[in-house]
Amino acid sequence: MRFITELSQYMVENQAELFSLSIEHILMSIYGIALSLLVGIPLGIIAAKYKKLAPIIISLTNILQLIPSLAMLAILMLYLGLGFQTMVVGLFFYSLLPIVKNTYVGIKEVDDSIMQAGKGSGMTALQLLAKVQFPLSIPFLIAGLRVAFVIAIAVASIGPYIGAGGLGKEIVAGISLQSDIRIYAGAIPATLLAITSDLILGLLEKKGKQRLA
């Protein structure tokens, strides 16, 4: 009980700093995921359209996911230096797999009868993609986006090790000072960010499925 009281007091006294770190944490995650959407969606579409390229694209994104986060960031730091931008690039790589894979699966899951109906109405391959396949794959894409956000928010917590900010700054400070209060003061808001983003995207995914039903 005493620990909870002290933690609450610390978070209230440092709410401005924690809020600033939370905003930085959110921005790092959003920028990283935005990049993964810009690259991942086209890669997922290419994988779905060209069977020979699919194993290569999926394997490469799998490999990126398997590299330990600290090792990935250390490699990026050698080429990009320290700071916010390096963290964003790292989050981009870690968010890529769920975006690519779910875009790929979503497009492949479109029923053949729907495709044949589109072709029968005179649609071109590009029109089928834009008006049929991609819209129907959106619930799958949002499901991938949910995973990507949780991964990004978690990985962003080690940002301070490469000179980036975010809530990890509070966690790292707590580790250095052996202060469990500071560790929790950073970990709790990061956890809440992950849960909130998952809930919001979950609602969007549910609405998308209802519209397609």
Side-chain angles (χ1 to χ4, degrees):
M1 190 67 183
R2 181 183 175 185
F3 173 77
I4 295 174
T5 302
E6 290 177 355
L7 176 61
S8 301
Q9 184 178 353
Y10 177 84
M11 294 183 74
V12 169
E13 290 174 353
N14 296 273
Q15 58 183 318
E17 176 66 13
L18 290 172
F19 180 76
S20 177
L21 293 175
S22 297
I23 295 299
E24 194 170 10
H25 204 99
I26 291 168
L27 289 176
M28 282 193 296
S29 302
I30 288 175
Y31 290 157
I33 289 172
L35 282 174
S36 71
L37 286 171
L38 286 173
V39 176
I41 291 174
L43 284 177
I45 291 171
I46 291 169
K49 290 295 184 180
Y50 301 97
K51 291 182 180 179
K52 291 183 179 180
L53 292 177
I56 298 171
I57 292 171
I58 299 298
S59 295
L60 286 174
T61 52
N62 269 320
I63 290 169
L64 288 172
Q65 193 77 28
L66 290 172
I67 299 172
S69 52
L70 275 174
M72 167 81 78
L73 294 174
I75 293 167
L76 291 173
M77 186 176 62
L78 293 175
Y79 296 97
L80 302 176
L82 297 168
F84 185 92
Q85 292 180 340
T86 303
M87 192 70 235
V88 168
V89 175
L91 295 179
F92 154 66
F93 284 130
Y94 268 96
S95 304
L96 202 54
L97 176 62
I99 301 299
V100 172
K101 200 166 186 179
N102 281 51
T103 301
Y104 167 78
V105 171
I107 290 174
K108 295 294 285 184
E109 285 293 313
V110 176
D111 196 275
D112 286 338
S113 61
I114 296 174
M115 294 294 292
Q116 292 301 323
K119 290 177 182 177
S121 64
M123 283 187 176
T124 64
L126 187 59
Q127 287 174 327
L128 280 170
L129 175 63
K131 296 182 179 181
V132 179
Q133 289 176 292
F134 186 70
L136 290 175
S137 72
I138 286 176
F140 290 89
L141 177 57
I142 295 176
L145 198 56
R146 291 175 69 180
V147 176
F149 255 106
V150 173
I151 292 171
I153 290 169
V155 174
S157 296
I158 61 174
Y161 287 111
I162 59 162
L167 289 163
K169 190 175 180 181
E170 192 70 16
I171 296 171
V172 171
I175 294 171
S176 300
L177 298 170
Q178 296 185 339
S179 169
D180 49 357
I181 287 177
R182 294 197 69 172
I183 292 171
Y184 278 104
I188 290 172
T191 303
L192 291 175
L193 287 178
I195 292 171
T196 303
S197 64
D198 187 62
L199 288 174
I200 292 171
L201 289 169
L203 290 173
L204 291 175
E205 183 184 357
K206 187 176 179 182
K207 286 183 179 180
K209 288 179 177 178
Q210 288 174 344
R211 288 181 181 179
L212 294 174

Short mmCIF file of all heavy atoms in Angstrom, two decimals, residues 66-95:
data_model
loop_
_atom_site.label_atom_id
_atom_site.label_comp_id
_atom_site.label_asym_id
_atom_site.label_seq_id
_atom_site.Cartn_x
_atom_site.Cartn_y
_atom_site.Cartn_z
N LEU A 66 13.16 -11.27 -36.41
CA LEU A 66 13.91 -12.18 -35.55
C LEU A 66 15.18 -11.55 -34.97
O LEU A 66 15.73 -12.06 -34.00
CB LEU A 66 14.30 -13.44 -36.35
CG LEU A 66 13.14 -14.37 -36.72
CD1 LEU A 66 13.62 -15.45 -37.66
CD2 LEU A 66 12.50 -14.97 -35.48
N ILE A 67 15.65 -10.45 -35.56
CA ILE A 67 16.86 -9.79 -35.05
C ILE A 67 16.55 -9.16 -33.68
O ILE A 67 15.57 -8.42 -33.56
CB ILE A 67 17.35 -8.70 -36.01
CG1 ILE A 67 17.70 -9.31 -37.38
CG2 ILE A 67 18.56 -7.96 -35.44
CD1 ILE A 67 18.02 -8.27 -38.44
N PRO A 68 17.33 -9.45 -32.66
CA PRO A 68 17.08 -8.84 -31.33
C PRO A 68 17.03 -7.32 -31.44
O PRO A 68 17.82 -6.72 -32.18
CB PRO A 68 18.29 -9.30 -30.51
CG PRO A 68 18.74 -10.56 -31.16
CD PRO A 68 18.48 -10.37 -32.63
N SER A 69 16.12 -6.71 -30.71
CA SER A 69 15.88 -5.28 -30.84
C SER A 69 17.11 -4.44 -30.55
O SER A 69 17.41 -3.49 -31.29
CB SER A 69 14.72 -4.85 -29.93
OG SER A 69 14.94 -5.29 -28.60
N LEU A 70 17.86 -4.78 -29.50
CA LEU A 70 19.06 -4.01 -29.18
C LEU A 70 20.12 -4.14 -30.27
O LEU A 70 20.82 -3.18 -30.60
CB LEU A 70 19.63 -4.45 -27.84
CG LEU A 70 19.03 -3.81 -26.59
CD1 LEU A 70 19.60 -4.45 -25.34
CD2 LEU A 70 19.25 -2.31 -26.58
N ALA A 71 20.22 -5.34 -30.85
CA ALA A 71 21.19 -5.55 -31.94
C ALA A 71 20.79 -4.74 -33.16
O ALA A 71 21.63 -4.10 -33.81
CB ALA A 71 21.26 -7.04 -32.29
N MET A 72 19.50 -4.75 -33.48
CA MET A 72 18.99 -3.97 -34.61
C MET A 72 19.30 -2.49 -34.42
O MET A 72 19.80 -1.81 -35.33
CB MET A 72 17.48 -4.18 -34.74
CG MET A 72 16.77 -3.21 -35.67
SD MET A 72 16.91 -3.64 -37.39
CE MET A 72 15.67 -4.94 -37.49
N LEU A 73 18.99 -1.97 -33.25
CA LEU A 73 19.21 -0.55 -32.98
C LEU A 73 20.69 -0.19 -32.96
O LEU A 73 21.08 0.90 -33.40
CB LEU A 73 18.55 -0.16 -31.66
CG LEU A 73 17.02 -0.25 -31.64
CD1 LEU A 73 16.49 0.01 -30.23
CD2 LEU A 73 16.39 0.71 -32.62
N ALA A 74 21.52 -1.11 -32.47
CA ALA A 74 22.96 -0.87 -32.46
C ALA A 74 23.50 -0.77 -33.89
O ALA A 74 24.34 0.10 -34.19
CB ALA A 74 23.67 -1.99 -31.71
N ILE A 75 23.01 -1.64 -34.77
CA ILE A 75 23.43 -1.60 -36.18
C ILE A 75 22.98 -0.30 -36.84
O ILE A 75 23.76 0.37 -37.53
CB ILE A 75 22.85 -2.82 -36.95
CG1 ILE A 75 23.48 -4.12 -36.44
CG2 ILE A 75 23.09 -2.66 -38.45
CD1 ILE A 75 22.78 -5.37 -36.91
N LEU A 76 21.73 0.08 -36.59
CA LEU A 76 21.20 1.33 -37.17
C LEU A 76 21.97 2.53 -36.64
O LEU A 76 22.21 3.50 -37.38
CB LEU A 76 19.71 1.46 -36.84
CG LEU A 76 18.77 0.48 -37.54
CD1 LEU A 76 17.35 0.62 -36.99
CD2 LEU A 76 18.77 0.70 -39.05
N MET A 77 22.34 2.47 -35.37
CA MET A 77 23.06 3.58 -34.74
C MET A 77 24.41 3.82 -35.42
O MET A 77 24.87 4.96 -35.54
CB MET A 77 23.26 3.28 -33.26
CG MET A 77 23.86 4.41 -32.45
SD MET A 77 23.94 3.97 -30.69
CE MET A 77 25.01 2.53 -30.73
N LEU A 78 25.04 2.75 -35.89
CA LEU A 78 26.33 2.87 -36.58
C LEU A 78 26.22 3.69 -37.86
O LEU A 78 27.15 4.39 -38.25
CB LEU A 78 26.88 1.48 -36.90
CG LEU A 78 27.30 0.61 -35.70
CD1 LEU A 78 27.71 -0.77 -36.18
CD2 LEU A 78 28.44 1.27 -34.93
N TYR A 79 25.07 3.57 -38.53
CA TYR A 79 24.88 4.23 -39.81
C TYR A 79 24.09 5.55 -39.71
O TYR A 79 24.33 6.47 -40.49
CB TYR A 79 24.15 3.29 -40.79
CG TYR A 79 24.95 2.06 -41.13
CD1 TYR A 79 24.74 0.87 -40.46
CD2 TYR A 79 25.93 2.09 -42.11
CE1 TYR A 79 25.47 -0.27 -40.76
CE2 TYR A 79 26.67 0.96 -42.43
CZ TYR A 79 26.44 -0.22 -41.75
OH TYR A 79 27.18 -1.34 -42.05
N LEU A 80 23.17 5.61 -38.76
CA LEU A 80 22.29 6.78 -38.66
C LEU A 80 22.59 7.67 -37.46
O LEU A 80 22.04 8.76 -37.35
CB LEU A 80 20.83 6.31 -38.59
CG LEU A 80 20.33 5.45 -39.75
CD1 LEU A 80 18.90 4.98 -39.49
CD2 LEU A 80 20.39 6.21 -41.07
N GLY A 81 23.44 7.19 -36.56
CA GLY A 81 23.75 7.98 -35.38
C GLY A 81 22.71 7.79 -34.28
O GLY A 81 21.81 6.96 -34.38
N LEU A 82 22.85 8.58 -33.23
CA LEU A 82 21.94 8.50 -32.10
C LEU A 82 20.69 9.35 -32.33
O LEU A 82 20.71 10.28 -33.13
CB LEU A 82 22.64 9.00 -30.82
CG LEU A 82 23.85 8.20 -30.34
CD1 LEU A 82 24.59 8.98 -29.27
CD2 LEU A 82 23.40 6.85 -29.78
N GLY A 83 19.61 9.02 -31.61
CA GLY A 83 18.47 9.92 -31.59
C GLY A 83 17.14 9.38 -32.07
O GLY A 83 16.98 8.19 -32.36
N PHE A 84 16.20 10.29 -32.14
CA PHE A 84 14.80 10.02 -32.45
C PHE A 84 14.64 9.31 -33.80
O PHE A 84 13.91 8.32 -33.92
CB PHE A 84 14.06 11.36 -32.46
CG PHE A 84 12.57 11.26 -32.63
CD1 PHE A 84 11.73 11.20 -31.53
CD2 PHE A 84 12.00 11.26 -33.90
CE1 PHE A 84 10.35 11.12 -31.69
CE2 PHE A 84 10.63 11.19 -34.07
CZ PHE A 84 9.81 11.12 -32.96
N GLN A 85 15.33 9.81 -34.84
CA GLN A 85 15.17 9.27 -36.19
C GLN A 85 15.61 7.81 -36.28
O GLN A 85 14.96 6.99 -36.96
CB GLN A 85 15.95 10.11 -37.19
CG GLN A 85 15.37 11.51 -37.38
CD GLN A 85 16.16 12.33 -38.38
OE1 GLN A 85 17.31 12.05 -38.66
NE2 GLN A 85 15.54 13.36 -38.92
N THR A 86 16.69 7.47 -35.59
CA THR A 86 17.18 6.09 -35.60
C THR A 86 16.14 5.16 -34.97
O THR A 86 15.90 4.05 -35.45
CB THR A 86 18.51 5.99 -34.84
OG1 THR A 86 19.45 6.89 -35.44
CG2 THR A 86 19.06 4.57 -34.89
N MET A 87 15.51 5.62 -33.89
CA MET A 87 14.47 4.83 -33.24
C MET A 87 13.28 4.63 -34.16
O MET A 87 12.72 3.53 -34.22
CB MET A 87 14.03 5.55 -31.95
CG MET A 87 13.15 4.69 -31.04
SD MET A 87 14.09 3.35 -30.27
CE MET A 87 13.11 1.94 -30.76
N VAL A 88 12.91 5.66 -34.88
CA VAL A 88 11.79 5.57 -35.82
C VAL A 88 12.07 4.52 -36.90
O VAL A 88 11.20 3.70 -37.23
CB VAL A 88 11.50 6.94 -36.47
CG1 VAL A 88 10.53 6.80 -37.65
CG2 VAL A 88 10.92 7.90 -35.44
N VAL A 89 13.29 4.52 -37.43
CA VAL A 89 13.66 3.52 -38.44
C VAL A 89 13.62 2.11 -37.86
O VAL A 89 13.14 1.17 -38.50
CB VAL A 89 15.07 3.83 -39.03
CG1 VAL A 89 15.51 2.72 -39.99
CG2 VAL A 89 15.06 5.17 -39.75
N GLY A 90 14.09 1.96 -36.63
CA GLY A 90 14.04 0.66 -35.97
C GLY A 90 12.60 0.18 -35.79
O GLY A 90 12.29 -0.99 -36.04
N LEU A 91 11.71 1.07 -35.39
CA LEU A 91 10.30 0.72 -35.22
C LEU A 91 9.66 0.39 -36.57
O LEU A 91 8.78 -0.47 -36.65
CB LEU A 91 9.55 1.87 -34.55
CG LEU A 91 9.98 2.19 -33.11
CD1 LEU A 91 9.17 3.36 -32.56
CD2 LEU A 91 9.82 0.98 -32.21
N PHE A 92 10.09 1.06 -37.62
CA PHE A 92 9.62 0.76 -38.98
C PHE A 92 9.94 -0.69 -39.33
O PHE A 92 9.07 -1.44 -39.79
CB PHE A 92 10.28 1.72 -39.97
CG PHE A 92 10.39 1.18 -41.37
CD1 PHE A 92 9.27 0.93 -42.13
CD2 PHE A 92 11.64 0.92 -41.92
CE1 PHE A 92 9.38 0.42 -43.42
CE2 PHE A 92 11.77 0.42 -43.20
CZ PHE A 92 10.62 0.17 -43.95
N PHE A 93 11.17 -1.13 -39.08
CA PHE A 93 11.57 -2.50 -39.40
C PHE A 93 10.78 -3.52 -38.57
O PHE A 93 10.35 -4.56 -39.08
CB PHE A 93 13.06 -2.70 -39.18
CG PHE A 93 13.93 -2.10 -40.25
CD1 PHE A 93 14.99 -1.28 -39.92
CD2 PHE A 93 13.67 -2.36 -41.59
CE1 PHE A 93 15.79 -0.73 -40.92
CE2 PHE A 93 14.46 -1.81 -42.59
CZ PHE A 93 15.53 -0.99 -42.25
N TYR A 94 10.58 -3.21 -37.28
CA TYR A 94 9.88 -4.15 -36.41
C TYR A 94 8.37 -4.20 -36.66
O TYR A 94 7.72 -5.18 -36.33
CB TYR A 94 10.15 -3.81 -34.94
CG TYR A 94 11.34 -4.55 -34.41
CD1 TYR A 94 12.59 -3.95 -34.38
CD2 TYR A 94 11.24 -5.87 -33.98
CE1 TYR A 94 13.70 -4.64 -33.93
CE2 TYR A 94 12.34 -6.56 -33.52
CZ TYR A 94 13.57 -5.94 -33.50
OH TYR A 94 14.67 -6.63 -33.07
N SER A 95 7.82 -3.15 -37.25
CA SER A 95 6.38 -3.11 -37.53
C SER A 95 6.04 -3.65 -38.90
O SER A 95 4.86 -3.80 -39.24
CB SER A 95 5.87 -1.66 -37.42
OG SER A 95 6.17 -1.11 -36.18
#
